[in-house]
Structure formats: C-alpha cells, structure tokens
Amino acid sequence: MHARSLPVMIIRMSSASLITDLAAASRILAAHGVVDSFGHVSLRHPERAGRYLMSRAVAPALVTPDDIMEYDLDSNPVNADGRSSFLERFIHGEIYKARPDIQSVVHSHSPSVIPFGLVRVPLEAMFHNAAFIAKGVPVFDIREKFGSTDMLVSSREKGAALASVLGSKDVVLMRAHGSAACGGTLQRAVFRAVYTEVNARIQHWTMALSSGEGMAVLNADEGRLADDVNQNAAMRAWELWRSQVRAQVNW
Ligand code: MN
C-alpha cells in the first residue's frame, strides 16, 4: 500500500460510511480506555480539505452518526443546528491547518501517557506497534506562551501553539492534560492513539524493571521501517474494532 493512494481511496468511499466510521472511531477509543467522558476524534472532510468532521459535545462512547458536525479550519461549526461543540475543537482545526498530510486527529487524556508530560523522561518506542513514537514525542506546555490557564486548548491561538510544538511528529503530549495523536487516515490516527496509551503502560513497566537504564527501544531507523508496515497493521486492527462496534449498533 502506497501512502499516495490513500486519499483517493477515502474520496471513493461514500461520505455516509465515513461518518459512521468516525462515530465508530469514537466508540472504539472509549472501549480501549483512550477516551472516557472526555476526548474526541475528528476527520478532515474527504472532499473539502478546508473543513473537518467531529461529533457534537457528548461522551465519546455515546456518539452516533447523527452527532457528527462539520467545521471550518477556524473551528466554527458550519451546521450546528442547535448542537453544542467541544471547547477544545481548536486542537483539530489548527493541526489540520498546519499539517496538510494529516487527515485525522485524536485528543485524549489517556492516563498512562500523562506522566510523560509531567517529567523530563521522554516517551520512547517500546515495541513495533508504537513505531511512530521513535520519531520523538514533543511536550506542549501551555504555560510557556499563555501563563496560568484552565489548561484547555480553547482558542485558535492555543491550538496553533500546540500544532507548532507537534511540528512534523505524529503525537504531541500536553503537560498536565493529555495528548493528541494524528494520522494520514482515520484508522491510523485511532491506531496511534490506542498504541500511544499501550506504549506508555509498557514504558512504565520497563522503567520499573530497569530503573530506566539501558532500555533497548526502537531507534529512528527501526521506527521508520516498522511504521511503514503498521499501515497494514492499522487496517487489521480497524477491521476487528469496527466489527465490535457493529455488533452493538445497527450502523
Ligand atoms: Mn482535553
């Protein structure tokens, strides 16, 4: 599978199936403990690159296709119709603006990841499924630009600052808050969000075992090679996870 062919595949799929897949992604992330009552996943609009799709403000495990709304990249809702929006939608809009290659973003407070935003120990790639982490995972500290805040990325300015710390990486940690994981497809962003949490858990175990010394983590070359293969791994995981949602709902 070549990365260049993926956007074409997305456009060929009907937007109805993309919307149901986005709603399913929300439930998948909840089932894996990546999101709880909070957190959200979005998808760049398949035909209008200056728009994105995301659910109304609701707990991720409850999302249905009817909850999916459309936003411009300034994160103004285009079809609100009385529905309320997530306060932190600017995370998504500003990442899409800064990174044309990104088609999907997950924001979560997944618990095993949070410690790595609080201390100077970097998150590192513990195993092949988390190969994307070998590129490096920057930490966004909202204090640096905005001083003391409520910690929420609740404006375009804060979203742009987060996107600039993300840079060319796939995941960014947010100090004392959570993280954002991105991908060139919905499936890859979901896969990365799930495996960022799993990798963090494994790193805690490994550091307890080794006192943090001599961890034989993936190097940058291994990370790049394994991440190429993970394009297919993400689809296999998606088929399983999507079928588990389908067993619970009729969409
Ligand atoms: Mn948040």
Side-chain angles (χ1 to χ4, degrees):
M1 179 63 63
H2 302 290
R4 283 173 57 201
S5 66
L6 283 172
V8 177
M9 282 174 52
I10 289 170
I11 289 164
R12 281 188 193 142
M13 292 168 68
S14 75
S15 12
S17 79
L18 280 171
I19 284 171
T20 54
D21 279 351
L22 180 57
S26 217
R27 290 174 178 243
I28 288 166
L29 291 163
H32 286 266
V34 174
V35 295
D36 47 20
S37 302
F38 309 99
H40 18 87
V41 52
S42 69
L43 178 66
R44 192 190 289 273
H45 195 290
E47 279 129 35
R48 292 188 288 280
R51 297 276 177 91
Y52 68 95
L53 304 167
M54 187 163 73
S55 84
R56 72 182 172 92
V58 63
L62 301 178
V63 170
T64 70
D66 289 340
D67 294 317
I68 303 300
M69 296 167 58
E70 188 172 325
Y71 292 89
D72 66 23
L73 293 194
D74 286 336
S75 297
N76 300 305
V78 175
N79 58 350
D81 207 13
R83 295 174 291 184
S84 58
S85 297
F86 288 116
L87 291 174
E88 295 196 286
R89 59 193 181 280
F90 305 96
I91 294 169
H92 303 257
E94 298 304 317
I95 289 177
Y96 291 130
K97 261 188 219 169
R99 289 280 302 276
D101 59 312
I102 287 176
Q103 303 297 322
S104 181
V105 176
V106 175
H107 167 57
S108 78
H109 311 149
S110 79
S112 311
V113 175
I114 290 176
F116 295 95
L118 299 175
V119 298
R120 290 184 184 279
V121 177
L123 192 64
E124 294 188 86
M126 297 291 121
F127 73 138
H128 58 89
N129 281 349
F132 54 93
I133 286 174
K135 265 200 232 175
V137 178
V139 179
F140 170 67
D141 184 350
I142 199 165
R143 272 184 311 197
E144 281 177 16
K145 205 162 176 189
F146 302 97
S148 294
T149 65
D150 59 11
M151 309 307 287
L152 301 180
V153 178
S154 51
S155 68
R156 281 194 291 155
E157 292 71 23
K158 289 171 180 167
L162 173 70
S164 113
V165 172
L166 170 70
S168 62
K169 307 296 198 293
D170 299 315
V171 185
V172 60
L173 304 191
M174 301 155 76
R175 180 195 133 251
H177 180 167
S179 58
C182 308
T185 63
L186 175 66
Q187 289 78 10
R188 286 203 104 180
V190 169
F191 182 86
R192 285 173 173 164
V194 168
Y195 281 102
T196 298
E197 167 61 20
V198 173
N199 186 87
R201 228 177 286 156
I202 295 174
Q203 186 163 344
H204 292 304
W205 298 332
T206 309
M207 293 185 76
L209 202 61
S210 68
S211 312
E213 284 171 27
M215 295 191 298
V217 301
L218 272 76
N219 66 31
D221 285 339
E222 288 171 330
R224 189 174 38 76
L225 292 166
D227 194 42
D228 283 348
V229 175
N230 282 348
Q231 189 119 320
N232 294 327
M235 289 313 295
R236 191 197 301 181
W238 176 262
E239 280 170 30
L240 169 66
W241 298 339
R242 183 68 181 89
S243 75
Q244 289 167 337
V245 172
R246 218 174 261 123
Q248 294 166 358
V249 293
N250 62 355
W251 42 268

